[in-house]
Amino acid sequence: AIIVSDFYTNPIDEAEMLTIKKLSKTYTNGVKALSDLNLEIGAGMFGLLGPNGAGKSTLMRTVATLQQPDFGRILFNGIDVLEKPTELRYVLGYLPQEFGVYPNISAERLLDYFATLKGIDSNKDRKILVSRMLELTNLQDVRRKYESGFSGGMKQRFGIAQLLLNEPKLIIVDEPTAGLDPAERQRFLNLLRQVGTEATVIF
Ligand code: ADP
């Protein structure tokens, strides 16, 4: 079973709502990862709690349109997520459990590259955006450094910087604090909280 704990809710923004109805998933090996899951949350920060194997990652990957459930429905701000995954991706920021980076490129250039992939064509706009993200995630000082030299905490913050590039309304972060020391973990959660006031954040 998964417990959803609200760390922070934003009661002002009622327009925003993630609704999950009767979501079920059984993998081909017979493991039932999700069974008739129902959930309705608005803007704010929500933690999925549950032991290993409870189905947290399965749920997050499904909402992030990376895999299909067997049954169920997912709606976000009027978008039917399973029917129109591309529409959701425009407003989605996702940080997977394993976040691979290109090691021999600076944080700044890599962010610029991700911004290009997210469709920001203007050089000037990208420059402003990348600089803003580096500042927000406190990576300004190490922007010319290679990712390969980053600590676990820096990599996580870079992960947040890249997911924020399209100003997402739905942010999904899988296992954000695994392998971080307590101080880094606190910084990471504070950062999520700071960026997540207008969005729905699931971690
Ligand atoms: P959590 O994130 O809570 O640890 P997961 O969603 O990763 O849980 O896994 C839920 C269950 O589904 C586990 O028993 C896991 O072994 C199984 N599982 C996850 N992914 C797959 C897969 N691709 N194929 C088969 N079984 C899987």
Side-chain angles (χ1 to χ4, degrees):
I2 303 172
I3 295 166
V4 181
S5 166
D6 53 330
F7 281 67
Y8 171 86
T9 55
N10 182 356
I12 303 154
D13 199 348
E14 283 175 12
E16 194 165 305
M17 197 58 87
L18 174 69
T19 307
I20 296 175
K21 287 182 190 161
K22 291 179 171 287
L23 200 66
S24 295
K25 173 71 179 181
T26 302
Y27 287 106
T28 47
N29 61 0
V31 172
K32 204 174 180 68
L34 298 174
S35 174
D36 219 2
L37 184 136
N38 294 287
L39 180 67
E40 187 157 82
I41 53 176
M45 222 171 122
F46 301 87
L48 303 183
L49 309 178
N52 270 342
K56 303 180 294 295
S57 288
T58 300
L59 175 60
M60 286 192 262
R61 284 197 305 262
T62 306
V63 178
T65 76
L66 295 172
Q67 66 178 61
Q68 289 281 328
D70 300 327
F71 301 102
R73 217 163 164 222
I74 305 173
L75 295 163
F76 181 70
N77 289 358
I79 302 169
D80 188 324
V81 174
L82 301 172
E83 296 288 323
K84 302 212 157 115
T86 309
E87 267 187 45
L88 184 82
R89 287 174 199 163
Y90 283 114
V91 295
L92 173 74
Y94 175 65
L95 181 62
Q97 211 166 64
E98 300 280 331
F99 179 54
V101 293
Y102 301 93
N104 295 319
I105 174 171
S106 74
E108 189 172 45
R109 285 201 54 205
L110 191 52
L111 266 189
D112 183 78
Y113 175 66
F114 282 137
T116 306
L117 292 181
K118 292 197 185 197
I120 300 147
D121 293 328
S122 147
N123 284 340
K124 194 170 152 236
D125 290 351
R126 275 205 315 280
K127 211 175 159 152
I128 293 166
L129 186 63
V130 165
S131 168
R132 190 145 53 87
M133 291 308 143
L134 288 168
E135 203 163 302
L136 186 65
T137 52
N138 204 14
L139 291 170
Q140 196 66 264
D141 293 348
V142 292
R143 68 187 185 280
R144 301 254 153 75
K145 285 210 170 137
Y146 287 174
E147 290 277 329
S148 53
F150 275 16
S151 70
M154 284 153 84
K155 278 184 191 152
Q156 295 282 27
R157 279 186 273 132
F158 181 84
I160 295 297
Q162 67 76 28
L163 77 74
L164 289 175
L165 287 168
N166 57 333
E167 297 182 21
K169 300 297 282 171
L170 178 63
I171 297 174
I172 299 177
V173 175
D174 203 349
E175 293 249 320
T177 59
L180 299 188
D181 67 51
E184 274 282 16
R185 175 175 301 156
Q186 201 51 52
R187 268 200 294 278
F188 185 84
L189 291 176
N190 286 343
L191 172 62
L192 262 191
R193 191 183 171 126
Q194 192 187 334
V195 300
T197 51
E198 309 264 298
T200 299
V201 182
I202 299 173
F203 72 99

